[in-house]
Amino acid sequence: MSAAQRARQVWRRKPVDTLLAESEAETTESGGLQRTIGVGRLTMIGVSSTVGTGIFVVLGQTVPQAGPAVLVSFLIAGTVTALTALCYAELVSTIPVSGSSYTYAYATLGEIVAFLVGACLLMGYGVASSAVAVGWGEYLNALLEHTAGWHIPASFSAPPGHGGIVNVPSMVLVGACCLLLIRGTSESATMNAISVVIKLGVLVLFSAVAFTAFSTDNFHPFAPFGTVGIGTAASTVFFSYIGMDILSTAGEEARNPRKTLPLAIMWTLIIVTAIYALVVIAALGAQPVQDFAGQEAVLASILAKVTDAGWPAIILAVGGVVAIFGVTLVNMFGQIRILYAMGRDGMLPPVFHKVHPRTKTPVWNTVIVSSFVAVLAGVLPLDTLVDLTTMGVLVAFTVVSVGVIVLRRTRPELPRGFRVPGYPVVPALSIAACLYLFYGLPGETFWMFAVYAALALAFYFSYSFHRSRLAAGEPIQPVSQRSR
């Protein structure tokens, strides 16, 4: 194959009709994923993947960066998410299949872009799962300290370079999530819904108690580090808003996805915005900015100071343990579904697409993902994980916004359960806002991302380019037949 032919083929696109037909063939076959999740549990998945990551983990990093103006940082990150959520709602109602941004890129921008987006999502979800698992260890230690007067030694609860050898609690958490995901999608969604109810209740309790110590003096000076600090914090805060993409990975397990998925995205956005605003204002008003630096289990620590009693901090620590479990669970769920879609397309080995006949879940896919996440959670520090997650998800959000424009131009006749209002201004604003958040990331994150992208491209040209089903011209075939 000549260089010119190779260059043309990397831009080959997978027709939307093919994507829909494959999905329909698999979900109607007993060997494929099953449509068992309604709008309520879909919303719980979105809320769980979002609320918890930022509130329970990221505040300790972002408040020292921006001061009380972290409120503006949350507003910026939330605005970017709102714009992109509208774009997601249109694409997920048009192409309701597994794969999320990866699948949308395959249909609109070409195979090589789709592969890179898939790689970014894998990094984003995998690293996000690892990051919140690290935060889980902090809240577990806080719970043990308040109840038993003992905590896990730093050697086994912190990564190398941060006073430890390996973060054992985070690896245990990932293992528990692995077992639940293997058991089944419906069971995982039910457990996640329970964790969301507990989490929201605990955060409302925190806000109520924290407001009793509210002081406006803690908001002065409001922006001690200027716009630079606000922008840097906004890029980090964006780590808290990845639930939109995870929702779209459930396209083949949602009932009536053209309606339920857009509704779940909108409800998720409303609930997340309200709870973030409540908790951040309460936390800033209850504690001076300088106390946030280096503080672990931030919300539990604030309650301990405010009440000078043990029970509120114990409740919050329990909430943190339960909440971060739910976040880790759904982040791993999203990563596994991306790999499932890439395996179906031949971009990854078939093992990632193989569904267990009894549990109806991709078991080996789950085990591989869990092993990867556990290793990252055990040895990498939280700040590195957060920035890498932000980079990966911002790439996906940008591609989704571009994909809406491309699909409107190339396939205007496709049925859409939802249309972005204010098109094409809203997608364009979403792209611009994502680029702004890219600017706030530290330089070393770009270097790490470049190395990761180079490795991903090496895999694409050595394996995926030659083995993708689109390149081979394979006919649509149900999963039960392909896995024989």
Side-chain angles (χ1 to χ4, degrees):
M1 182 184 296
S2 68
Q5 289 176 315
R6 183 184 291 266
R8 285 195 298 270
Q9 289 205 18
V10 300
W11 299 106
R12 54 200 172 205
R13 301 177 184 179
K14 191 168 187 180
V16 173
D17 298 332
T18 301
L19 288 167
L20 296 175
E22 283 183 335
S23 172
E24 184 63 27
E26 293 199 352
T27 54
T28 55
E29 288 282 324
S30 60
L33 300 175
Q34 304 298 303
R35 297 195 181 279
T36 60
I37 312 176
V39 65
R41 285 195 290 179
L42 284 170
T43 302
M44 292 297 188
I45 289 174
V47 172
S48 182
S49 65
T50 309
V51 177
T53 310
I55 293 301
F56 283 93
V57 177
V58 175
L59 271 181
Q61 295 174 264
T62 54
V63 174
Q65 291 174 332
V70 74
L71 280 169
V72 180
S73 302
F74 269 89
L75 177 62
I76 292 171
T79 300
V80 175
T81 305
L83 293 170
T84 311
L86 294 172
C87 297
Y88 265 105
E90 175 165 330
L91 286 186
V92 80
S93 72
T94 309
I95 314 174
V97 303
S98 287
S100 186
S101 309
Y102 156 77
T103 299
Y104 308 148
Y106 213 164
T108 59
L109 300 174
E111 187 174 272
I112 191 169
V113 177
F115 185 87
L116 286 173
V117 169
C120 287
L121 287 173
L122 295 180
M123 178 180 68
Y125 289 144
V127 175
S129 301
S130 304
V132 294
V134 172
W136 186 79
E138 294 179 2
Y139 275 89
L140 179 62
N141 258 342
L143 178 61
L144 292 172
E145 186 72 44
H146 288 296
T147 55
W150 176 84
H151 62 271
I152 301 171
S155 298
F156 299 104
S157 62
H162 283 64
I165 300 172
V166 63
N167 193 328
V168 174
S170 64
M171 300 179 78
V172 171
L173 170 64
V174 173
C177 291
C178 174
L179 293 175
L180 187 56
L181 288 167
I182 286 174
R183 182 173 176 83
T185 299
S186 181
E187 291 85 350
S188 300
T190 300
M191 180 62 192
N192 176 66
I194 294 170
S195 77
V196 169
V197 172
I198 294 173
K199 169 173 25 182
L200 294 182
V202 167
L203 290 175
V204 169
L205 171 66
F206 164 81
S207 301
V209 175
F211 271 118
T212 64
F214 189 88
S215 172
T216 57
D217 292 341
N218 292 332
F219 290 84
H220 301 288
F222 183 71
F225 308 106
T227 56
V228 174
I230 293 172
T232 301
S235 298
T236 304
V237 163
F238 187 73
F239 172 70
S240 310
Y241 288 94
I242 62 175
M244 303 304 116
D245 194 273
I246 288 177
L247 266 177
S248 61
T249 65
E252 287 179 42
E253 292 157 284
R255 296 196 299 265
N256 193 12
R258 293 188 188 277
K259 291 185 178 180
T260 57
L261 283 167
L263 276 174
I265 288 173
M266 294 303 130
W267 275 115
T268 296
L269 188 61
I270 291 169
I271 294 171
V272 166
T273 300
I275 200 69
Y276 274 11
L278 181 67
V279 174
V280 174
I281 292 172
L284 288 170
Q287 177 175 268
V289 168
Q290 60 268 22
D291 291 352
F292 283 88
Q295 193 175 48
E296 294 189 353
V298 173
L299 302 189
S301 298
I302 291 174
L303 280 195
K305 289 181 181 179
V306 169
T307 62
D308 198 24
W311 68 265
I314 292 173
I315 292 175
L316 195 79
V318 170
V321 168
V322 173
I324 295 175
F325 173 84
V327 176
T328 306
L329 182 74
V330 294
N331 281 342
M332 289 173 61
F333 171 89
Q335 186 180 25
I336 291 162
R337 268 49 186 181
I338 295 291
L339 287 167
Y340 177 86
M342 295 179 77
R344 174 169 59 196
D345 292 335
M347 307 282 261
L348 294 175
V351 67
F352 289 100
H353 183 231
K354 193 172 183 179
V355 175
H356 193 278
R358 181 176 59 83
T359 64
K360 308 300 181 187
T361 57
V363 173
W364 282 109
N365 183 345
T366 304
V367 171
I368 293 169
V369 167
S370 301
S371 300
F372 170 73
V373 171
V375 170
L376 287 182
V379 301
L380 288 184
L382 182 61
D383 50 357
T384 300
L385 293 171
V386 168
D387 288 334
L388 280 173
T389 300
T390 298
M391 175 72 80
V393 176
L394 276 174
V395 169
F397 276 27
T398 304
V399 167
V400 165
S401 302
V402 173
V404 168
I405 298 172
V406 171
L407 207 60
R408 283 281 191 105
R409 291 177 175 271
T410 59
R411 296 296 305 274
E413 80 286 356
L414 285 173
R416 290 167 168 84
F418 177 88
R419 287 178 174 268
V420 174
Y423 174 88
V425 175
V426 168
L429 287 175
S430 176
I431 295 167
C434 287
L435 293 176
Y436 169 76
L437 292 183
F438 272 119
Y439 179 76
L441 290 171
E444 59 267 22
T445 304
F446 285 88
W447 283 109
M448 287 188 286
F449 180 79
V451 170
Y452 179 81
L455 292 173
L457 285 173
F459 182 89
Y460 170 76
F461 283 110
S462 62
Y463 182 92
S464 307
F465 177 79
H466 305 284
R467 301 193 182 218
S468 76
R469 293 181 62 211
L470 196 59
E474 292 183 22
I476 299 168
Q477 194 177 46
V479 64
S480 59
Q481 297 179 26
R482 288 202 302 276
S483 58
R484 288 175 185 171

